[in-house]
Amino acid sequence: MTFELNVFVMKFIADRMLGKLAKELRMLGYDTIYYRGEDAHQMIQWARQEGRVILTRNTKLIPKRPEDRIIRVMEDNPFLQLKELIQKGHISLNVENLFSICLLCNVLIDEIPREEAEGRVPDFIFYHQKAFYRCPQCGRIYWQGSHQDHMKRKMDELFG
């Protein structure tokens, strides 16, 4: 089974001050690039080329063209940053997209036969989990674990 992202979902590029937020957005299924560079012009160019919305805490970053979409995030805490994006209507919850993107590579993960995970995950995990997923780019293996339960509780708190 391959996950399919909702085509109407916004794509983001988060600046170097928002790495944890980028990871949280990926957990929610949002295509989010984490830009570690310092060159704001290069980040804006990348956003234009890929139709991405820039997420930044930099109050000096101003749109140069009408197509530049920049969202200033005011909160420091990643949980509160997510809440801010929800309250302002920039993101919403689509349960079908949860946990569908590699947290490292920002690519869709694919379900793999259980046997392919054997020896690549701890034995306890292998014997207690039924489904496994792999990032086609980095090869990282994912499964439904306590981290997903924790994130689901967080989503319940954020989205009600």
Side-chain angles (χ1 to χ4, degrees):
M1 171 176 91
T2 300
F3 289 99
E4 290 186 28
L5 284 178
N6 180 342
V7 294
F8 300 107
V9 172
M10 248 192 271
K11 298 188 314 183
F12 297 104
I13 185 167
D15 73 10
R16 62 183 306 156
M17 293 183 258
L18 297 172
K20 289 180 182 177
L21 176 62
K23 184 177 177 183
E24 300 273 333
L25 287 168
R26 287 177 183 169
M27 278 190 231
L28 287 172
Y30 283 92
D31 178 346
T32 307
I33 292 172
Y34 175 41
Y35 181 74
R36 292 174 177 88
E38 292 186 29
D39 185 350
H41 178 70
Q42 185 178 12
M43 182 176 62
I44 290 170
Q45 288 298 108
W46 195 354
R48 285 177 188 160
Q49 289 169 356
E50 297 190 8
R52 293 183 179 276
V53 175
I54 296 171
L55 298 172
T56 185
R57 298 207 60 231
N58 183 349
T59 56
K60 296 176 183 172
L61 190 61
I62 348 177
K64 304 265 192 252
R65 296 184 186 167
E67 70 266 22
D68 294 340
R69 296 175 296 166
I70 299 173
I71 296 173
R72 284 189 188 77
V73 178
M74 305 309 287
E75 295 290 345
D76 287 328
N77 178 295
F79 179 80
L80 296 177
Q81 290 169 347
L82 273 178
K83 196 169 190 165
E84 179 182 343
L85 292 176
I86 293 163
Q87 288 173 341
K88 291 181 178 177
H90 298 303
I91 63 170
S92 60
L93 180 62
N94 184 338
V95 179
E96 293 174 14
N97 292 344
L98 287 176
F99 312 111
S100 60
I101 293 180
C102 178
L103 301 180
L104 300 175
C105 302
N106 194 46
V107 283
L108 291 174
I109 58 175
D110 300 315
E111 186 167 1
I112 58 171
R114 192 171 179 274
E115 302 76 42
E116 285 187 35
E118 190 171 15
R120 299 192 62 209
V121 298
D123 289 342
F124 175 80
I125 299 296
F126 180 76
Y127 291 112
H128 287 89
Q129 296 295 321
K130 294 181 177 146
F132 292 92
Y133 304 86
R134 179 181 54 218
C135 171
Q137 186 165 313
C138 72
R140 184 174 184 185
I141 305 289
Y142 292 91
W143 61 90
Q144 183 170 349
S146 59
H147 57 285
Q148 285 190 354
D149 294 336
H150 172 72
M151 188 62 174
K152 286 178 183 173
R153 282 192 299 279
K154 186 188 283 190
M155 293 305 100
D156 288 344
E157 190 177 335
L158 283 168
F159 292 97

